[in-house]
Amino acid sequence: MNELTNEFSELYEQERRRLRSFYDSLGDYASPVFGEGDINSKIMLIGEAPGKNEAEQGRAFVGKAGKQLNEMLELASLKREQLFITNAVKFRPIRIAKSSISNRTPTVKEIDSSLYVLKREIELIQPKFVITLGKTALTAVMKLTQADLSFTALKEIQGVPHSICANGFDFILYPMYHPASVIYNPVLKEAMEMSLRRIPQILVQCEV
Ligand code: URA
């Protein structure tokens, strides 16, 4: 194992231990999902949190979400193996109603307490280009970098590259919709596809 791989293992072990200390029924803390992909990549993609399939398989973006992600990446002429893929929150946030368990959006408190892992992942990867999928991932990155993108709705800044150079961070932030939010909305889907098609050119511009 090289030094970088070691750093990731230690970080994820620390988070595994932290999650083991939780005893509420708000999350699947026993099956966290951590970052994967090319640890030497200059492109990082950040999702929200694992869902059921991810928690079962221990991998980010698998099953339906994985298929969707691959289709998205194809429009950007990218393959998932070329990126480092992670989530803002590493455990599956759940809601238990009657006897069924469903996914839910992480709370602000859950995003905040998970920030230290995302921060370290960014420090270790040192990406030049960071794609955030949805509001949770964008919120987490803005908190970490103290970037003030001053927007009221994601549609104002999705697909717009933002230069982040503060707090020791230096990368282009590319906010996008969460794939799950565009499925049933053709307008958002078209906007997202246009944003994806612009990525190769932006990568050339930022010398990735
Ligand atoms: N799967 C993930 O790993 N993250 C998401 O945000 C959605 C699905």
Side-chain angles (χ1 to χ4, degrees), residues 6 25 40 43 47 50 74 78 91 94 132 145 156 160 163 166 181 205 208:
N6 253 332
S25 53
N40 297 305
I43 310 173
E74 209 171 301
L78 289 169
F91 62 89
I94 54 176
T132 52
T145 59
E156 293 160 25
V160 180
S163 180
S181 70
Q205 280 161 3
V208 177

Side-chain angles (χ1 to χ4, degrees), residues 1-17 34-35 39-40 84 90 116-126:
M1 258 207 283
N2 70 23
E3 205 176 309
L4 188 54
T5 316
N6 253 332
E7 296 261 12
F8 274 106
S9 303
E10 277 169 29
L11 174 67
Y12 293 157
E13 191 46 42
Q14 186 182 351
E15 177 65 349
R16 222 182 269 284
R17 274 198 305 272
F34 297 116
I39 55 173
N40 297 305
F84 184 78
K90 305 319 194 225
Y116 85 99
V117 193
L118 185 63
K119 177 172 186 277
R120 190 74 190 123
E121 287 175 309
I122 298 177
E123 283 168 359
L124 292 172
I125 297 288
Q126 295 185 13

Side-chain angles (χ1 to χ4, degrees), residues 4-5 11 24 39 60 64 77 79 90 95 98 121 135 166 169-170 182 184 187 194 196-197 201 205:
L4 188 54
T5 316
L11 174 67
D24 60 51
I39 55 173
K64 196 171 156 206
S77 305
K79 288 199 167 32
K90 305 319 194 225
R95 176 183 294 120
K98 296 191 182 136
E121 287 175 309
K135 247 179 157 170
F169 297 102
D170 188 2
V182 309
Y184 302 109
V187 176
M194 276 172 57
L196 285 161
R197 289 199 177 91
Q201 192 191 341
Q205 280 161 3

Side-chain angles (χ1 to χ4, degrees), residues 29-174:
Y29 305 118
S31 314
V33 175
F34 297 116
E36 67 165 58
D38 180 2
I39 55 173
N40 297 305
S41 179
K42 290 293 149 213
I43 310 173
M44 193 162 168
L45 182 137
I46 308 171
E48 180 173 288
K52 183 172 185 279
N53 291 326
E54 284 79 13
E56 277 171 5
Q57 295 184 40
R59 292 189 60 202
F61 287 96
V62 290
K64 196 171 156 206
K67 189 168 170 281
Q68 233 182 322
L69 180 68
N70 290 343
E71 287 167 3
M72 278 174 52
L73 292 177
E74 209 171 301
L75 295 177
S77 305
L78 289 169
K79 288 199 167 32
R80 69 178 282 160
E81 304 75 46
Q82 291 175 265
L83 324 176
F84 184 78
I85 299 177
T86 193
N87 283 301
V89 170
K90 305 319 194 225
F91 62 89
R92 178 190 176 204
I94 54 176
R95 176 183 294 120
I96 303 177
K98 296 191 182 136
S99 57
S100 78
I101 300 177
S102 54
N103 299 337
R104 65 174 171 80
T105 305
T107 62
V108 172
K109 204 170 146 208
E110 287 168 336
I111 297 171
D112 287 352
S113 65
S114 305
L115 275 183
Y116 85 99
V117 193
L118 185 63
K119 177 172 186 277
R120 190 74 190 123
E121 287 175 309
I122 298 177
E123 283 168 359
L124 292 172
I125 297 288
Q126 295 185 13
K128 283 188 169 182
F129 189 71
V130 174
I131 303 167
T132 52
L133 299 181
K135 247 179 157 170
T136 297
L138 178 60
T139 304
V141 170
M142 283 173 60
K143 284 188 175 206
L144 276 181
T145 59
Q146 288 169 15
D148 179 14
L149 304 191
S150 48
F151 66 100
T152 45
L154 194 48
K155 73 169 183 206
E156 293 160 25
I157 55 161
Q158 90 80 31
V160 180
H162 293 268
S163 180
I164 302 287
C165 191
N167 264 1
F169 297 102
D170 188 2
F171 55 77
I172 301 295
L173 170 62
Y174 200 61

